[in-house]
Amino acid sequence: MNLLLQSKIANLHSSIQITGSKSETNRLLLLQALYPTITLANTSNSDDSEVMQKALKGNQEIVDIHHAGTAMRFLTAYFAVNEGREVVLTGSQRMTERPIKVLVEALQQLGAQISYEKEVGYPPIRIKGQKITANKVTIPANVSSQYISALLLVAPKLENGIELTLEGEITSIPYIKMTLALLNEIGIETHFTGNTILIKPLTTSPKPQTLTVESDWSSSSYFFSLVALSNEASISLSSYKQSSLQGDSALVKIYEQMGVKTHFDENKMTLVKQPNFKFERLNLDLNNTPDIAQTIVVTSLGLGIGCHLTGLHTLKIKETDRLEALRIELTKLGAKISVTNDSLTLEATHHINSNVKIATYNDHRMAMAFAPLALKVPIEIENAEVVSKSYPDFWEDLRSLGFEIVHH
C-alpha cells in the first residue's frame, strides 16, 4: 500500500499514547518465559513483539520470526538453554542474510548445541536445548548489543550464571544497561565493571510482580521531528520517564539543537517548538543511538541545515543497509548527501523536491522517518504498512494530528 501524505497545517497540538517499547517488551517477554511469576503491562503491539510472544508460547519445531532481528538473537539464546527442546530457528529472506555467528560461537563456548542448516554463520539454525554449567564467555565488544543482551537475559537461568568479557571498545552501552536494569528489577544480581559483566544465577522464582513497560522512545522520535518542522507545536506523549533506560531518550538533548524543548510531568512528556530558534549544522556521534539516525537526517533536510553523523556502522546490517537506503532516497528529494561505512554527511539545502516516492526497503524506520517531511512538501511513502513492525498505529496517529493521508 502506497500512501500520499500532505499537511495544510503547521500548528500541531495534540496528546498521543504510544505503545510500550519494543526493546523492553522483548527482553521482558523472554524473562517472563523463564520466570512465569512476572506479569507485564503496556507491552508493545509491534509485529516483532507478537512474533516473540508466539515463539515463546508455541511448541513448533520450526520457529519462523520473519523480519524480527531482536527475536532472532534473543530466541537463539533462549532455546539454547531450554533443556530437552529442539527447534530450527529461521526468518525472512533478509533474516537469512543477517549474521548470527558471533552469538552462536559465544553460546557454543558455554556448551550450547547449535548447528547451521544452510550457510555457516547465518540462519536457519538448529538448536538443541542443554543444561549449561560453564559460565565464562568472551564476545567482541563492538557487535550488536542484541547479541550481548541475549546472553545476559538467559544468564540467571544457567547453573553458575555468567562471566562475560567484552573485547575492545563497547558500543551500544545504553541497551546493555537497559538489560541489566530489567534483570535487577526482578531481583537478579548483576555487576558491570570495565569490560566484564557478572550475572549471578537465580535459584528461586522472583516474587510475583507486574512490570510496566515504558513507551518506545524510537517511536517518539518522529514526533520530535514533526515539532521541529512545524511553525508552532505542542505535542504530549505518554508514557515516558525522564530517567529512562532507553538509549534513544538522547532525543531530548539532540532535538534541543533543533528547536524542540521537552517538559516532563509524571509519565507524560510534552514537546514544544521554540519560536525564532537559530539553527546550526549538527555534528553528532550516534554510536549509542543508531536507530534515530534516519529521523535526524530527515529533520535536518526539512530545516535546511547540514549534518554530519558518525557511529553508524551497525546500520549496514539492519532491516536494510540503512545508510545506502538513506543516500538513495534523500538524493531523490534533492539532497546532497554522502555516506561511508559508518558516517553520513548532508549539505544544507533550502529546496526539497515534492511528490517524490520514497521506497521503504521493508524497513519500518524508513517509512516513519520520512513522513514528517509532509509538513514541507507532499510526499508518497511506498509499502507504508511496513510500520506495523514497531508502530502499527503510526498512520492513524498522524491523521489525528490533521495530516491528509490517502491511498495511492
Side-chain angles (χ1 to χ4, degrees):
M1 137 181 122
N2 288 12
L3 292 182
L4 181 66
L5 276 62
Q6 48 193 343
S7 175
K8 303 272 189 295
I9 49 149
N11 299 344
L12 302 174
H13 297 275
S14 189
S15 290
I16 289 173
Q17 170 69 46
I18 291 181
T19 168
S21 149
K22 193 175 66 148
S23 315
E24 273 188 42
T25 299
N26 286 358
R27 284 162 172 77
L28 288 168
L29 284 172
L30 195 151
L31 290 173
Q32 186 184 41
L34 296 175
Y35 303 110
T37 51
I38 300 168
T39 314
L40 305 179
N42 195 35
T43 51
S44 168
N45 63 350
S46 64
D47 289 356
D48 282 20
S49 296
E50 286 183 3
V51 159
M52 182 88 179
Q53 211 157 4
K54 204 168 136 205
L56 290 165
K57 290 205 160 102
N59 212 1
Q60 312 88 321
E61 192 212 339
I62 294 177
V63 176
D64 183 348
I65 54 77
H66 311 295
H67 295 299
T70 323
M72 173 56 78
R73 279 87 183 249
F74 290 0
L75 292 170
T76 297
Y78 173 76
F79 288 125
V81 306
N82 194 345
E83 275 177 76
R85 181 154 177 212
E86 184 172 338
V87 300
V88 172
L89 192 54
T90 188
S92 64
Q93 176 61 40
R94 172 68 181 162
M95 194 53 65
T96 63
E97 297 163 6
R98 292 175 73 176
I100 192 85
K101 191 175 188 182
V102 173
L103 176 58
V104 168
E105 286 179 349
L107 287 161
Q108 286 168 338
Q109 283 178 52
L110 290 167
Q113 274 203 313
I114 306 175
S115 56
Y116 299 103
E117 293 286 276
K118 291 182 180 161
E119 195 180 340
V120 170
Y122 298 88
I125 51 179
R126 181 174 292 275
I127 308 168
K128 293 179 183 171
Q130 303 290 313
K131 183 184 174 77
I132 288 179
T133 52
N135 75 335
K136 284 188 171 45
V137 61
T138 302
I139 195 167
N142 65 347
V143 295
S144 163
S145 62
Q146 290 175 10
Y147 296 157
I148 297 164
S149 287
L151 294 168
L152 302 179
L153 287 165
V154 299
K157 259 300 192 218
L158 309 186
E159 196 165 299
N160 298 304
I162 241 177
E163 183 182 318
L164 176 65
T165 305
L166 301 168
E167 279 188 326
E169 191 192 342
I170 308 170
T171 56
S172 302
I173 286 180
Y175 283 107
I176 297 171
K177 288 193 166 160
M178 175 199 288
T179 303
L180 295 174
L182 294 173
L183 289 170
N184 298 154
E185 218 169 311
I186 63 168
I188 292 159
E189 200 184 324
T190 67
H191 300 277
F192 184 3
T193 41
N195 274 39
T196 306
I197 302 174
L198 279 177
I199 294 187
K200 295 279 170 66
L202 189 64
T203 44
T204 56
S205 275
K207 63 178 193 303
Q209 57 193 298
T210 299
L211 301 178
T212 301
V213 180
E214 185 186 16
S215 293
D216 193 62
W217 274 89
S218 317
S219 295
S220 79
S221 71
Y222 314 112
F223 296 97
F224 277 91
S225 186
L226 285 166
V227 171
L229 295 179
S230 59
N231 297 338
E232 189 210 330
S234 167
I235 298 180
S236 295
L237 305 172
S238 46
S239 310
Y240 289 97
K241 300 193 276 247
Q242 195 160 2
S243 56
S244 176
L245 301 175
Q246 297 174 52
D248 287 345
S249 59
L251 282 161
V252 172
K253 282 207 162 43
I254 292 169
Y255 271 83
E256 250 176 42
Q257 300 174 58
M258 292 192 266
V260 180
K261 198 97 182 101
T262 309
H263 305 282
F264 287 88
D265 179 24
E266 290 182 356
N267 70 340
K268 198 167 70 179
M269 67 174 175
T270 303
L271 317 181
V272 181
K273 171 79 178 190
Q274 298 300 291
N276 311 318
F277 189 79
K278 189 177 175 309
F279 298 103
E280 287 171 14
R281 178 185 165 87
L282 288 178
N283 285 302
L284 298 170
D285 177 355
L286 298 180
N287 202 353
N288 285 332
T289 54
D291 277 345
I292 54 178
Q294 287 146 295
T295 316
I296 291 167
V297 181
V298 173
T299 313
S300 301
L301 176 71
L303 290 172
I305 58 174
C307 68
H308 177 61
L309 310 179
T310 55
L312 305 180
H313 59 283
T314 58
L315 293 188
K316 305 288 285 179
I317 61 160
K318 295 281 184 175
E319 282 76 353
T320 181
D321 176 343
R322 284 182 174 164
L323 288 175
E324 191 50 26
L326 280 170
R327 190 187 65 74
I328 295 167
E329 301 311 309
L330 286 162
T331 302
K332 287 184 195 171
L333 287 158
K336 290 190 171 53
I337 178 172
S338 56
V339 299
T340 68
N341 256 346
D342 71 342
S343 74
L344 179 153
T345 308
L346 176 77
E347 300 306 324
T349 173
H350 293 291
H351 175 75
I352 303 172
N353 298 333
S354 61
N355 291 306
V356 168
K357 276 189 189 180
I358 299 296
T360 49
Y361 306 82
N362 267 328
D363 182 352
H364 54 131
R365 298 208 189 284
M366 287 297 285
M368 294 187 282
F370 280 86
L373 274 188
L375 285 171
K376 300 292 180 187
V377 291
I379 191 166
E380 188 171 339
I381 307 287
E382 296 182 354
N383 301 114
E385 70 280 1
V386 72
V387 302
S388 67
K389 184 176 197 308
S390 66
Y391 189 170
D393 302 328
F394 182 69
W395 302 118
E396 281 316 303
D397 285 346
L398 280 200
R399 275 199 182 97
S400 77
L401 290 172
F403 279 74
E404 286 175 34
I405 303 178
V406 291
H407 290 263
H408 218 240

